[in-house]
Amino acid sequence: MRVTLRRPAAIAAVLALVVVASPAATAAPAPEAPGGIAGVAVPSLSWQDCGTGDGFQCATAQVPLDYRNLSAGTLSLALARRPASKPDQRIGSLLVNPGGPGGSGVDFARGVVADLPAAVAERFDVVGFDPRGVGRSSALACLDPEQTRAAFARMTATRRPGDFERGQAFAAEFHAGCQARSATLLPYVGTEYVARDIDVLRAALGDAKLNYYGVSFGTYIGTVYANLFPKNFRVLALDGGYDPDSYANDPYRYDLGQFRATEAAFNRFLDWCANTPDKCKFGNGKPGQAFDKLVADLDRDPVKDADGKVTANGASLAYRIIFAVNGGSPSWTALGAQLAEAQTRTGRLVRPIAANAAFFAANTAVECADRVYPKSTHQLRARLAIAAAVAPRLGPVAAYGTPGYDHSHAAVCQQWPAKQASRYAGPWSAKGSDPILVIGTTGDPDTPYQDSVVLSRTLRNARLLTFVGEGHSGLSNSACARQATADYLVDKTLPARGARCEDDPAPA
């Protein structure tokens, strides 16, 4: 169901409560209407020391649960800020988001202060918030850790008969858990409402214009904000961009890009490992064969705890690799050592994965709130088969396993019954906005580089900075990209057209 606050017909069909702009009219809302909705109160923020010893202050903000029905109550958003270290030179607040979906902005703010050049923390109050349904902001729950452990225990890293049917059963189990634990919140965690929350927070922070830095899924949040409120931001830096229309409206195509990119990044690691056996301690020059044997061995004989419960197998190891390749080339030496450890059934890659249950719940539920998969089960079967075929090492666990991260959601989202009250479906051009910076990494395993290219062309006033390298986001992997981002945030200085950062670090 495509419902958006921006289409009067859709509003009338759902609730004749407010009047908002049509897609053709993208003027910014009046200052007295934070979030673009008349009657939304600006939260009063009471900042208190977080008690973490790093100068961060914490607060909570009350925002509407349902922007279509302000009488439905509110929910609390958790915030943390580090006040500008040079208050006499302060520009304003810098709101940051790490993506996921499901990542904690409260935690991410500390990383931004540490990772970006000092000028950012000097000139901005760096502010992170946990989006609705995430972390400290009414966290979603679907499967509990024990159910997550049990689901992974039934998975394998390689194809086997009945995969599709098992995937359907995993999806039904996950959906039932979400309904049992989070049914009230599920319709309201989509990105349109998160973007409206951000505008309410902008007003609460006292900023006439938003300053924003978002990574990965945080770029999609920023893109939706730019289209709802194109006149309401000063700077918008989007690092690791999403192709927004493909993500929201053609999810099979979008997911296939991630299957391919993740597999390709892992294969580049394996190639490096094969060519530099003196630095890579895994596989004795044949890491691909060694990896295939390792996951098969772990699927056949999984790691168990003292009670005999499976805590790690080939499927959980493959899932951990999906995350590990985000570290880029600096992490390759360590990844080789961790794979060698896993051969002895010890180390990071065979730790229990059940602790990720809360993240998997938010990641899945938000994406199911945002996206529309065709209802054809035949099409689902065919598209998952293609995805698993193009990514034979890391694809099957995402295609046929329990819903968890990003491209693993097709089966559950395709049968998602919750109302998509907070879904945004376009437009995407942010007509009339100030310049936007998009940063794309050529070897990004999580948000393929081509998506950043598409995003920079979709937005009417955007500039693309290319980091030629490995890993997820320029912030994490390129000093050049970090400096260019800081220059834009502080001075609104964009890199030259066609600019490229070529400082990919060597394997450490």
Side-chain angles (χ1 to χ4, degrees), residues 62 383 393-394 422 438 489:
Q62 299 297 313
R383 297 305 294 262
R393 287 192 167 112
L394 304 181
S422 47
V438 177
L489 294 175

Side-chain angles (χ1 to χ4, degrees), residues 157-229:
T158 53
R159 295 295 308 273
R160 55 179 173 155
D163 276 341
F164 180 78
E165 290 73 21
R166 275 186 292 274
Q168 292 290 90
F170 283 132
E173 176 187 41
F174 193 93
H175 157 254
C178 295
Q179 285 291 311
R181 295 179 171 91
S182 302
T184 302
L185 187 56
L186 292 179
Y188 310 114
V189 295
T191 299
E192 181 170 320
Y193 279 15
V194 174
R196 293 187 184 279
D197 289 343
I198 286 176
D199 200 59
V200 172
L201 295 178
R202 172 197 60 77
L205 292 165
D207 291 331
K209 297 269 190 176
L210 174 74
N211 304 287
Y212 180 83
Y213 173 75
V215 179
S216 190
F217 185 77
T219 70
Y220 181 69
I221 295 173
T223 298
V224 174
Y225 183 90
N227 282 277
L228 291 172
F229 308 107

